Amino acid sequence: MKKVNIWKYLGKYKKDAALTLFKVFEVLCELTVPLLMANIIDVGIANGDTGYILKMGAVLLLVAVFSLSATIVAQYFAAKASMGFASEVRRALFSHIGTLSYTEIDKSGTDTLITRLTSDVNQLGSGMNLTLRLVLRSPLVVFGAVIMAFTIDTRAALIFVVTVPALALVVFAIMLITMPLYRKVQSSLDKILGLTRENITGARVIRAFCMEDGERESFSLKNGELKSRQLFVGKISALMDPLTFIIVNAATIILLRSGAVRVYDGAITQGELVALVNYMSQILTELLKLANLIITISKSLASASRITDALSTESEEETGVLDAREADKSSPILEFRDVGIKYAGAGSEALCGVNLTVNRGDTVGVIGGTGSGKSTLVNLIPRYYDATEGELLFCGRDIRDYDRKSLRSMTGVVSQSAPLFSGTIRENIAFGRGVGTGENEVSDEKIMNALGTAQALDFVSARDGGLDSEITEGGRNLSGGQRQRLTIARALVRDPEILILDDSASALDFATDARLRGAIARLSPEMTVFIVSQRAASVRYADKIVVLDDGKPVGVGTHDELIESCPVYENIYYSQFERKDKKDETEGAK
């Protein structure tokens, strides 16, 4: 797996990052202030020269204005570069996730990808911001203060030579101890985020099975783990301030003691002693900032590593180059030849030994118990997954020879979950034409026709606003049947050559389901329809019915053929309909 270099996304913001060098002017101004104060004390106050004090005060004001201007420029461009960098990384990661196949998303996990896209990118942006602001400033202030101290008095400045390494030792020792602990804290936070997401998305299931107490206990356990880790690392980090202040205060006492002697001897002035104390305070402040910066950088690098791993997840190699819309229409549209599939990391095959020929215009029913492989079978058609065994032909050629995008452009898929997006009904239906391609410009007449076929026109017309009525995220302000009918309309509006209804009418009553199938059958004699269902009534009148049991086809044929030859289908059918003798069935069919 080739690692992606995420720092390349900073390329557009190199100039902005370079302009943070204005921090150098800010540092120079700060290092100048103690010397100006020394002159005010030694000259203005010592001689009672008010004019000199006012003049130097004006100089201090100018230095402050210049320092503030440099700070604003540096902070602005640091924020622009860091947030722009985070935006580019987020955009690239979002686009990359969109290219991943179902298999790769299954491997990575939805929670992990969401955390990378949100928390980790934000952490990376914050770390970049602090780095641009402090990585140059803090070392310059520390070394600049030491140098300035030596220009004032070499003997007194020797205290700095001892103090700075002592401070650095404490700061970096605590930092090295806490860095791995902070990584564990972030790991615990990831678990909390994942658990919270599960509880929010599965709230109805949790309440339905009265599992609130168990989930609270599980959350409390994870939350307690996070709390204990944060407290532990917090206690260690809390040692930094008292230890550094002890060192600085001890150094200040020594500096004042030795400095007082030097002032008494006339080696240095009172103002210079005050300047030395100010430089000592500056060193303390900047070392603390530097320590926090390094901890933040450590967190950001950990986030950068996780983002890099997500970006480096290679999409399944696209081998197909043919346009499915230009395929030879004289051959059967689909041929399954001993097709099988085994999911990554699975212990056994999810589907095996499927042999089926589907002609253009056929209606194919797929029926079987839960977990029998029905959805797996139809997911092979738009290449959400590729078969790991056997051969699946599309119009006479291996389906992997065709480009995924062109294949999916002529396929309408309605999944079991009936996902809808926040927005209007019109926007959700038009989504089926392809967002961002210009194809989503679809007339209201076409939308209404699709809604009519999907048996959704009645409730859409009854809503305030009609096509412009708002749908909440996931369609939570609609019933299950309404959601399913809208997703069917969304698939129909694109005029698919292959329509896959993956248990998409499970929430509909039998009468609505029958009307829906009848309306679809009248659409186009060339449209091939796959109906996946556990209802025998939904597939009874299909041209071919595939019966699956534990991932294996146990029967292929028409309803009448399967009733006679397939015990599994017979059991499914008579578990839903009253068993009649053959004479009654024949008369009923007539």
Side-chain angles (χ1 to χ4, degrees):
M1 183 172 65
K2 185 179 179 181
K3 289 287 184 181
V4 174
N5 179 19
I6 64 171
W7 307 112
K8 66 182 180 181
Y9 299 110
L10 188 60
K12 288 174 59 177
Y13 302 94
K14 285 181 179 178
K15 292 181 180 178
D16 297 307
L19 286 171
T20 59
L21 290 173
F22 271 87
K23 279 287 181 182
V24 175
F25 299 111
E26 179 191 351
V27 171
L28 294 176
C29 291
E30 287 194 19
L31 293 175
T32 304
V33 169
L35 293 181
L36 294 174
M37 289 299 301
N39 288 334
I40 291 174
I41 294 170
D42 292 338
V43 179
I45 295 175
N47 298 327
D49 189 344
T50 305
Y52 183 82
I53 293 173
L54 292 175
K55 183 175 73 174
M56 295 305 292
V59 174
L60 276 174
L61 183 61
L62 286 174
V63 170
V65 170
F66 186 74
S67 176
L68 177 62
S69 301
T71 302
I72 291 173
V73 172
Q75 301 282 73
Y76 171 78
F77 284 105
K80 185 178 179 182
S82 58
M83 293 302 103
F85 169 64
S87 177
E88 290 295 320
V89 171
R90 189 181 293 109
R91 184 180 293 109
L93 184 55
F94 182 81
S95 298
H96 181 70
I97 290 172
T99 67
L100 298 179
S101 67
Y102 279 23
T103 300
E104 290 142 2
I105 292 175
D106 291 344
K107 287 180 183 177
S108 300
T110 306
D111 292 337
T112 298
L113 293 175
I114 290 174
T115 303
R116 302 294 178 268
L117 196 60
T118 53
S119 177
D120 284 326
V121 172
N122 289 338
Q123 183 67 54
L124 182 63
S126 299
M128 177 62 68
N129 192 6
L130 278 179
T131 300
L132 291 174
R133 287 164 47 195
L134 297 178
V135 76
L136 189 63
R137 171 195 160 86
S138 293
L140 282 177
V141 170
V142 171
F143 290 110
V146 173
I147 292 170
M148 295 301 288
F150 272 97
T151 62
I152 293 172
D153 184 61
T154 303
R155 187 171 171 183
L158 291 174
I159 298 170
F160 286 76
V161 176
V162 177
T163 305
V164 171
L167 281 171
L169 180 64
V170 170
V171 168
F172 288 104
I174 292 176
M175 181 199 70
L176 289 174
I177 294 171
T178 55
M179 277 171 57
L181 296 176
Y182 275 120
R183 291 194 187 99
K184 291 182 179 180
V185 167
Q186 188 66 28
S187 175
S188 295
L189 183 60
D190 286 348
K191 293 178 182 178
I192 288 287
L193 290 173
L195 190 60
T196 303
R197 181 177 178 275
E198 284 180 358
N199 275 266
I200 292 172
T201 55
R204 294 184 181 183
V205 176
I206 292 169
R207 290 173 182 172
F209 290 95
C210 302
M211 291 297 294
E212 293 94 334
D213 292 339
E215 289 301 317
R216 287 193 195 99
E217 183 179 347
S218 177
F219 184 84
S220 296
L221 185 65
K222 298 292 183 184
N223 196 34
E225 181 183 340
L226 175 61
K227 176 186 173 183
S228 61
R229 286 183 174 179
Q230 286 180 319
L231 285 174
F232 182 66
V233 70
K235 289 175 182 177
I236 297 174
S237 298
L239 293 173
M240 187 177 294
D241 281 357
L243 289 177
T244 51
F245 275 106
I246 287 172
I247 295 171
V248 169
N249 288 335
T252 302
I253 292 171
I254 296 171
L255 182 61
L256 289 172
R257 173 68 180 79
S258 61
V261 174
R262 300 284 288 167
V263 170
Y264 182 78
D265 292 339
I268 60 174
T269 64
Q270 293 177 357
E272 289 173 336
L273 179 58
V274 171
L276 288 170
V277 174
N278 284 336
Y279 284 131
M280 183 68 74
S281 298
Q282 286 183 350
I283 289 171
L284 170 64
T285 302
E286 293 306 321
L287 279 176
L288 291 176
K289 287 182 181 179
L290 189 61
N292 290 326
L293 169 64
I294 292 173
I295 290 173
T296 302
I297 288 175
S298 173
K299 292 180 180 178
S300 298
L301 289 176
S303 295
S305 176
R306 290 194 289 268
I307 293 169
T308 299
D309 290 341
L311 282 170
S312 299
T313 302
E314 296 178 357
S315 300
E316 289 184 354
E317 186 179 357
E318 179 58 83
T319 55
V321 294
L322 299 179
D323 190 336
R325 291 164 293 195
E326 299 176 0
D328 178 17
K329 295 186 178 181
S330 62
S331 302
I333 192 167
L334 288 168
E335 290 181 76
F336 295 79
R337 297 180 179 176
D338 290 322
V339 169
I341 180 173
K342 181 179 179 181
Y343 291 117
S348 60
E349 293 175 323
L351 195 69
C352 65
V354 178
N355 288 283
L356 177 68
T357 299
V358 182
N359 295 311
R360 194 172 297 273
D362 281 353
T363 296
V364 180
V366 183
I367 194 169
T370 302
S372 59
K374 302 186 298 296
S375 296
T376 299
L377 175 66
V378 294
N379 280 337
L380 297 173
I381 298 169
R383 292 192 64 195
Y384 292 149
Y385 297 95
D386 280 331
T388 54
E389 290 184 5
E391 191 177 24
L392 173 57
L393 304 182
F394 177 82
C395 295
R397 297 195 58 157
D398 193 315
I399 198 168
R400 283 171 287 203
D401 293 340
Y402 294 96
D403 170 62
R404 281 190 176 93
K405 188 173 181 180
S406 67
L407 193 64
R408 291 169 187 172
S409 70
M410 57 186 294
T411 307
V413 181
V414 187
S415 63
Q416 303 175 50
S417 56
L420 294 170
F421 304 98
S422 57
T424 64
I425 290 177
R426 177 185 283 104
E427 290 169 344
N428 270 274
I429 302 302
F431 192 86
R433 298 291 291 183
V435 172
T437 63
E439 297 177 1
N440 57 324
E441 297 300 327
V442 55
S443 66
D444 285 357
E445 181 183 359
K446 192 169 187 64
I447 291 176
M448 298 301 276
N449 288 337
L451 289 170
T453 303
Q455 310 302 304
L457 193 57
D458 53 348
F459 82 83
V460 171
S461 300
R463 290 177 65 89
D464 293 337
L467 291 177
D468 293 316
S469 62
E470 290 290 328
I471 297 176
T472 59
E473 181 186 354
R476 289 186 174 87
N477 59 339
L478 299 173
S479 69
Q482 290 172 339
R483 287 198 299 269
Q484 287 187 338
R485 283 179 279 173
L486 286 183
T487 53
I488 292 170
R490 183 172 61 194
L492 291 172
V493 81
R494 71 188 306 168
D495 298 323
E497 293 187 32
I498 300 175
L499 178 65
I500 298 172
L501 303 177
D502 186 1
D503 208 11
S504 56
S506 58
L508 304 184
D509 58 73
F510 284 95
T512 305
D513 185 16
R515 289 197 302 271
L516 170 66
R517 285 184 279 109
I520 290 174
R522 292 190 294 271
L523 279 179
S524 170
E526 292 294 308
M527 185 169 70
T528 305
V529 181
F530 282 80
I531 301 175
V532 177
S533 182
Q534 295 187 47
R535 289 180 178 179
S538 297
V539 301
R540 179 175 180 176
Y541 299 103
D543 298 309
K544 293 185 179 73
I545 301 172
V546 181
V547 185
L548 296 176
D549 184 35
D550 196 22
K552 299 175 182 177
V554 292
V556 177
T558 63
H559 167 76
D560 292 335
E561 291 170 350
L562 292 172
I563 283 289
E564 296 292 335
S565 62
C566 181
V568 174
Y569 182 78
E570 184 183 14
N571 289 335
I572 293 173
Y573 181 77
Y574 286 121
S575 68
Q576 299 173 18
F577 293 93
E578 183 180 354
R579 186 183 290 272
K580 300 178 181 179
D581 60 36
K582 292 184 179 180
K583 179 180 179 182
D584 291 338
E585 285 192 5
T586 303
E587 292 177 354
K590 292 180 180 178

